[in-house]
Amino acid sequence: MDYAGRISKLASKLDDEGILAALITAPENIHYLTGAPFVRGSAGKLLLVWKEGHATLILTELDYEEAKDSVAGGLELIKTNLFERPLERLRSILPSSSKVGYEEGAMSAAMNDRIGANYVLVPLGGAIEKMREIKDKEEISMIEKAQSINDQAFEKALANFREGMTELEIAAELEYMIRRYGGEAYAFETIVASGPRGVYPHGMPSNRRPSGGESVVIDFGAKYGGYCSDMTRTVFFGEPKPELRKMYEAVRDAQEAAIEEVSIGVTGKELDDVARRVIGDHGYGKYFVHGLGHGVGIDIHEAPTVSASNPNPLSPGNVITIEPGVYVPGVGGVRIEDLLVVTEGGRRNLTKFSREIVVV
Amino acid sequence: MDYAGRISKLASKLDDEGILAALITAPENIHYLTGAPFVRGSAGKLLLVWKEGHATLILTELDYEEAKDSVAGGLELIKTNLFERPLERLRSILPSSSKVGYEEGAMSAAMNDRIGANYVLVPLGGAIEKMREIKDKEEISMIEKAQSINDQAFEKALANFREGMTELEIAAELEYMIRRYGGEAYAFETIVASGPRGVYPHGMPSNRRPSGGESVVIDFGAKYGGYCSDMTRTVFFGEPKPELRKMYEAVRDAQEAAIEEVSIGVTGKELDDVARRVIGDHGYGKYFVHGLGHGVGIDIHEAPTVSASNPNPLSPGNVITIEPGVYVPGVGGVRIEDLLVVTEGGRRNLTKFSREIVVV
């Protein structure tokens, strides 16, 4: 990955604004800029990117060996000892009263208060998130591989789905295959929501056993090379009831219509409008209770969002999901999600699995 | 769960301090106070706990159905629509200029700036985290169940471990069993780190195939009823080399010595000292590069910490890990971790799996 290029791009922005260094606290952004691994929810690493174009990573002994073996050359590593926090070490290397960029969305109010006492803090305004919106070839190939793990795992797992299984057992089969095909982690907590639970868009798998034509929303993702994938299919355990079939067709038509429109220059809002109109025409408008999609990369949810709140045009290298859904209380849920790259030619769909109705 | 009791405990604290309402932003704390589910990394829900003792949860349409079916009675639910953020709705129900408690560690600097313009913000100082340190019977039974899933899953998976398997395949077997025994999610990303990778305390599983007596550190956890468990065992693929056996004995002796000392009144620092002394006596002091343990509950890492930085005595109802580790570059890693409840009588070890050396 082009860590040096990323660091120098950020550094030149700092230089323009007279900022001595940017203090990076979001683990995902530290990973993006250096290759340093992180575990979800991890804290404790601090990255300084200096306006001159070099960078310093302050980390604990616990993380040192893995970081040392993972980061690109040229990065300075400072290892704190067990009785010292990275934040304390910061003071000894960053002159007080200097102008320091900070991540206002990733730094807690408490840390902000503490650091603000010593430095002139300047918000970075999502500068790194902005860079991350446009994926380069190497990043896209990681996401593509992560999505191919999803496709293969789903196909294999589906062959093992049987009426009488619980949602937990469905998750077990699927996740087993994700690991077997090389998923180094799950991109997020697998969702399996059947029957009336299908109206929980984030429903965790339970002991419920779908049957009698109920829908089962299965939303899952693998990580590969530090990058996420994201895919949803809704399958039926038994021949679907007419209402569920109508919902499925509404969602599938909406997804296909929106995917057709993905191209450079179209906005997130416009895509969301397309899908919402189709679902509305099918009579399910009020049951489409979330945005159409989101960007995917190191984070499972990152910019650009594909919803009414995004008036900005898409660019080549954006990687986004298109995932309309319909959730009717008492009936169930249907969601179908593909993962796409925005390209010069329009789009490339990384999801290969069919969106035809599948009956287990 | 005693949601009403928790809300009223927090409310009376607010009343004492002349705070109109506490604005709760940490999803784990919202779950603790209301039962509302959350997915890891989720955002968007806001909880107001009013000094009079009632509470209001503002959430999106997306989360509404599941929250409605999950929360305890008496909680007011406010559903925002697709084009409105919970934060915008806040203003219409919380009188401006009022004194509002906030979570300084869980609120971003950006949100703090926005809200601080309208209210007099008072830091809550970790009040809810403090409440969460002491688990009640119902919470302990969830954690105990989550740990029994770990024990059973590990025993079953171990029977399927074979030389020639990759770290990813080891994770696949284990996670499959966690699901089969009822794990509703993984408490964190499973760690499988073999051979020289064993020196990465957070090493994600890779394509590496342990063999020739190498150690394999396996650190994993299930969630049940919203509560986490946490367990580590180090197994050997082939008869362990003498150096690794010595490391294993150092860690096991340290863990047993520390567990013996767990009781009401002992501090996190004292326990850490006990383990560190034993490992030091075995000659591996400089390779024990992390604290001895941490609290476990709704979060995988919560208070109280069991390390040099905790001078406070343990209390009945604390749930903690004891997990010394030794990581020798070029040789490998060893870590053994049990999960304990602090009781009137001293401790109860929730981890049943043996800590004798296991050779695959």
Side-chain angles (χ1 to χ4, degrees):
Chain A
M1 295 282 176
D2 183 21
Y3 301 116
R6 296 171 187 171
I7 296 267
S8 81
K9 189 168 173 189
L10 178 61
S12 76
K13 191 179 140 67
L14 301 175
D15 203 22
D16 292 348
E17 300 179 19
I19 296 172
L20 175 66
L23 175 62
I24 311 301
T25 45
E28 296 82 0
N29 286 343
I30 295 177
H31 177 72
Y32 178 74
L33 294 167
T34 68
F38 65 100
V39 292
R40 206 180 266 140
S42 69
K45 288 196 195 76
L46 294 176
L47 178 69
L48 281 166
V49 175
W50 305 88
K51 70 177 163 71
E52 292 83 5
H54 60 284
T56 304
L57 182 62
I58 310 175
L59 75 180
T60 61
E61 270 191 273
L62 169 67
D63 291 317
Y64 180 75
E65 289 292 329
E66 190 172 11
K68 180 172 66 68
D69 294 346
S70 310
V71 299
L75 179 70
E76 181 189 23
L77 290 182
I78 295 183
K79 179 169 67 167
T80 58
N81 67 44
L82 265 180
F83 308 99
E84 181 192 37
R85 303 251 152 213
L87 202 53
E88 297 162 27
R89 183 65 71 95
L90 186 70
R91 267 185 222 163
S92 67
I93 59 169
L94 190 60
S96 75
S97 306
S98 44
K99 207 167 154 185
V100 174
Y102 78 107
E103 300 187 283
E104 67 275 23
M107 184 183 282
S108 70
M111 186 170 171
N112 192 258
D113 284 349
R114 233 172 303 141
I115 294 189
N118 292 302
Y119 302 105
V120 180
L121 293 179
V122 183
L124 289 171
I128 303 163
E129 284 78 3
K130 202 85 204 148
M131 288 165 63
R132 282 170 46 194
E133 281 190 35
I134 311 288
K135 274 78 178 174
D136 65 23
K137 268 194 185 160
E138 216 173 339
E139 293 181 285
I140 290 168
S141 83
M142 293 299 154
I143 297 171
E144 189 160 15
K145 169 70 180 168
Q147 178 51 37
S148 87
I149 292 170
N150 282 354
D151 277 319
Q152 294 174 84
F154 190 71
E155 188 169 342
K156 281 277 189 188
L158 189 57
N160 294 333
F161 292 173
R162 296 279 177 275
E163 245 186 291
M165 287 174 94
T166 65
E167 293 169 350
L168 283 165
E169 287 164 349
I170 291 168
E173 296 295 329
L174 181 57
E175 292 171 339
Y176 184 80
M177 292 300 172
I178 288 175
R179 287 295 195 189
R180 295 299 298 246
Y181 282 105
E184 66 200 14
Y186 306 105
F188 54 92
E189 293 172 316
T190 301
I191 292 165
V192 182
S194 71
R197 294 188 78 248
V199 297
Y200 305 161
H202 287 151
M204 297 288 102
S206 76
N207 277 315
R208 194 174 187 287
R209 299 176 197 276
S211 68
E214 289 173 341
S215 68
V216 186
V217 179
I218 307 174
D219 189 346
F220 60 101
K223 283 186 93 166
Y224 188 83
Y227 284 78
C228 296
S229 59
D230 197 355
M231 169 175 180
T232 307
R233 285 296 180 270
T234 299
V235 302
F236 296 92
F237 273 48
E239 202 55 45
K241 297 163 191 165
E243 171 90 35
L244 282 168
R245 188 178 283 273
K246 278 176 58 189
M247 289 162 59
Y248 193 92
E249 284 161 3
V251 170
R252 190 188 54 200
D253 290 355
Q255 200 215 20
E256 287 175 352
I259 287 173
E260 277 299 302
E261 296 301 318
V262 172
S263 59
I264 298 172
V266 69
T267 70
K269 178 177 183 347
E270 284 162 354
L271 291 175
D272 186 276
D273 285 346
V274 168
R276 213 163 290 281
R277 195 160 53 236
V278 175
I279 286 176
D281 290 347
H282 280 265
Y284 291 104
K286 71 180 232 195
Y287 300 110
F288 178 16
V289 295
H290 53 69
L292 180 62
H294 54 84
V296 172
I298 294 169
D299 259 343
I300 184 63
H301 292 132
E302 56 181 57
T305 182
V306 185
S307 72
S309 69
N310 185 4
N312 302 311
L314 294 178
S315 303
N318 288 161
V319 174
I320 57 170
T321 68
I322 299 289
E323 49 173 319
V326 160
Y327 312 89
V328 181
V331 177
V334 172
R335 181 164 69 251
I336 310 174
E337 175 184 33
D338 284 8
L339 188 62
L340 295 93
V341 192
V342 179
T343 64
E344 293 293 343
R347 78 214 69 90
R348 194 154 59 85
N349 194 335
L350 303 181
T351 309
K352 305 304 175 196
F353 198 89
S354 148
R355 62 179 76 93
E356 290 312 300
I357 282 187
V358 172
V359 177
V360 171
Chain B
M1 294 283 176
D2 183 22
Y3 300 117
R6 294 170 188 173
I7 296 266
S8 81
K9 189 169 173 187
L10 178 61
S12 77
K13 191 179 140 67
L14 301 175
D15 202 24
D16 291 348
E17 299 178 18
I19 296 171
L20 175 65
L23 175 62
I24 310 302
T25 45
E28 296 82 359
N29 286 343
I30 294 176
H31 177 72
Y32 177 75
L33 293 167
T34 68
F38 66 100
V39 292
R40 204 180 267 139
S42 68
K45 289 196 195 77
L46 294 177
L47 177 69
L48 282 166
V49 175
W50 304 89
K51 70 178 163 72
E52 292 82 4
H54 60 283
T56 305
L57 182 62
I58 310 175
L59 75 180
T60 61
E61 271 191 272
L62 169 66
D63 291 318
Y64 180 74
E65 289 292 329
E66 190 172 10
K68 180 171 66 67
D69 295 346
S70 309
V71 300
L75 180 70
E76 181 189 22
L77 290 182
I78 294 184
K79 177 169 67 167
T80 59
N81 67 45
L82 266 179
F83 308 99
E84 181 191 37
R85 302 250 153 214
L87 202 52
E88 297 161 28
R89 182 65 71 93
L90 185 70
R91 265 185 223 163
S92 67
I93 59 169
L94 190 60
S96 76
S97 307
S98 46
K99 206 168 157 186
V100 174
Y102 78 107
E103 299 187 283
E104 67 275 23
M107 184 182 283
S108 70
M111 186 169 173
N112 192 258
D113 284 349
R114 233 172 303 140
I115 294 189
N118 292 303
Y119 303 105
V120 179
L121 293 179
V122 183
L124 289 171
I128 303 162
E129 285 77 4
K130 203 83 204 148
M131 288 165 64
R132 282 171 47 195
E133 280 190 35
I134 310 289
K135 274 78 179 173
D136 65 24
K137 267 193 185 161
E138 216 174 340
E139 294 181 285
I140 290 169
S141 83
M142 293 299 155
I143 298 171
E144 188 159 15
K145 169 71 179 165
Q147 178 51 37
S148 87
I149 292 170
N150 282 354
D151 276 320
Q152 294 174 85
F154 191 71
E155 188 167 341
K156 281 277 189 189
L158 189 57
N160 294 333
F161 292 173
R162 297 279 177 272
E163 243 187 294
M165 287 174 93
T166 65
E167 293 169 349
L168 283 164
E169 288 164 349
I170 291 168
E173 296 296 330
L174 180 57
E175 292 171 339
Y176 184 79
M177 292 301 172
I178 288 175
R179 287 294 195 191
R180 294 301 299 246
Y181 283 106
E184 66 200 13
Y186 306 104
F188 55 92
E189 293 172 318
T190 301
I191 293 165
V192 182
S194 71
R197 293 188 78 247
V199 298
Y200 305 161
H202 288 152
M204 298 286 100
S206 77
N207 277 315
R208 195 175 187 285
R209 298 177 197 274
S211 68
E214 289 174 341
S215 67
V216 186
V217 178
I218 307 174
D219 189 346
F220 61 100
K223 283 185 94 166
Y224 188 83
Y227 283 78
C228 296
S229 59
D230 197 355
M231 169 175 180
T232 308
R233 286 295 181 270
T234 299
V235 301
F236 296 91
F237 273 49
E239 203 54 46
K241 297 162 192 167
E243 171 90 35
L244 282 167
R245 189 179 281 274
K246 277 177 59 190
M247 289 161 60
Y248 193 92
E249 284 162 3
V251 170
R252 191 189 53 200
D253 290 356
Q255 201 215 20
E256 288 176 350
I259 287 174
E260 277 298 303
E261 296 300 318
V262 172
S263 59
I264 298 172
V266 69
T267 71
K269 177 175 182 349
E270 285 163 353
L271 291 175
D272 186 276
D273 285 347
V274 168
R276 212 162 289 280
R277 196 162 49 236
V278 175
I279 287 177
D281 290 347
H282 280 265
Y284 290 104
K286 72 180 230 192
Y287 301 110
F288 177 17
V289 296
H290 53 69
L292 180 62
H294 54 84
V296 172
I298 295 170
D299 259 344
I300 183 63
H301 293 133
E302 57 180 57
T305 181
V306 185
S307 72
S309 68
N310 185 3
N312 301 312
L314 295 177
S315 303
N318 288 160
V319 173
I320 57 170
T321 68
I322 299 289
E323 50 174 317
V326 161
Y327 312 89
V328 181
V331 176
V334 172
R335 181 165 68 253
I336 309 174
E337 176 184 33
D338 285 8
L339 188 60
L340 295 93
V341 192
V342 180
T343 62
E344 293 293 343
R347 78 214 69 91
R348 194 153 61 85
N349 194 335
L350 303 180
T351 309
K352 304 304 176 197
F353 198 89
S354 149
R355 62 179 75 93
E356 290 312 300
I357 282 186
V358 172
V359 178
V360 172

